[in-house]
């Protein structure tokens, strides 16, 4: 049985917005940071979290890491947020960083929800179709032709 990757970013979005917005975590997880940057404005998040990093490049690397790295703790994604920070910086995690990410995700829930209505094309040229659903969202690779009920 093949399981699909859930990134740290998609995991935190699902965790925080589970009942507040139609979050397609699998859709968000299927897009790389470069793809997500085209549809989500990470600049405001980056400016909010930059104070936790000694170098601006580290804040960018952190965002890239949480958007591209598989979540190990989908039920407790703040642990992945913490682990990723400590791996990149070698510093002790400041809980305020999690609060900044949490507040940004909640403030941008509309924008994050809209990601589920978009299509991403990966570098290999396979279109990832998106279906909106009340509960489970699955990625469809190749041509997606919905069946009529």
């Amino acid at each position: 049985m093949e399981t699909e990757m859930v990134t740290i970013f998609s995991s935190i979005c699902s965790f925080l917005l589970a009942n507040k917005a139609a979050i397609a975590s699998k859709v968000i997880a299927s897009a790389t940071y470069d793809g997500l940057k085209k549809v989500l404005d990470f600049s405001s998040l980056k400016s909010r979290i930059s104070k936790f990093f000694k170098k601006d490049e580290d804040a960018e690397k952190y965002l890239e890491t949480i958007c591209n790295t598989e979540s190990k703790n989908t039920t407790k994604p703040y642990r992945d947020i913490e682990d990723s920070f400590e791996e990149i910086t070698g510093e002790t995690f400041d809980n305020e960083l999690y609060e900044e990410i949490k507040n940004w995700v909640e403030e941008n829930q509309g924008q994050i929800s809209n990601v589920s209505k978009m299509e991403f094309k990966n570098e290999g040229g396979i279109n990832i179709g998106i279906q909106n659903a009340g509960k489970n969202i699955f990625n469809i690779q190749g041509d997606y032709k919905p069946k009529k009920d």
Side-chain angles (χ1 to χ4, degrees):
M1 182 175 183
E2 188 178 319
T3 58
E4 297 190 37
M5 185 173 95
V6 175
T7 62
I8 297 168
F9 181 71
S10 64
S11 181
I12 198 78
C13 288
S14 281
F15 181 76
L16 294 172
L17 305 176
N19 299 314
K20 297 180 186 172
I23 299 302
S25 66
K26 297 273 194 287
V27 172
I28 294 170
S30 72
T32 63
Y33 178 57
D34 289 337
L36 286 171
K37 282 195 306 190
K38 294 174 184 165
V39 293
L40 291 175
D41 181 12
F42 282 106
S43 61
S44 60
L45 177 57
K46 185 179 170 188
S47 66
R48 285 171 85 151
I49 68 169
S50 287
K51 64 186 173 193
F52 299 99
F53 299 88
K54 290 180 177 160
K55 295 184 286 193
D56 200 41
E57 306 86 61
D58 286 347
E60 181 79 20
K61 183 178 179 185
Y62 182 72
L63 290 175
E64 186 174 348
T65 299
I66 66 170
C67 288
N68 293 342
T69 304
E70 186 168 4
S71 177
K72 294 179 181 93
N73 300 291
T74 55
T75 57
K76 296 177 182 171
Y78 49 85
R79 289 184 180 168
D80 290 327
I81 296 282
E82 180 178 349
D83 291 346
S84 297
F85 175 82
E86 290 175 351
E87 284 171 24
I88 289 171
T89 64
E91 306 277 322
T92 304
F93 183 73
D94 182 340
N95 282 330
E96 191 61 34
L97 172 62
Y98 174 74
E99 289 301 314
E100 289 289 355
I101 293 169
K102 177 183 172 212
N103 291 338
W104 183 87
V105 167
E106 289 174 347
E107 288 165 18
N108 289 277
Q109 65 183 351
Q111 193 181 15
I112 292 166
S113 292
N114 286 337
V115 171
S116 67
K117 299 178 182 94
M118 307 205 175
E119 286 194 6
F120 295 95
K121 292 186 179 180
N122 69 17
E123 294 74 31
I126 296 172
N127 288 332
I128 300 172
I130 294 144
Q131 58 180 338
N132 293 310
K135 193 163 178 148
N136 294 328
I137 309 268
F138 299 95
N139 292 332
I140 310 299
Q141 293 190 353
D143 294 329
Y144 172 60
K145 295 182 175 107
K147 293 180 181 173
K148 304 255 189 235
D149 286 335

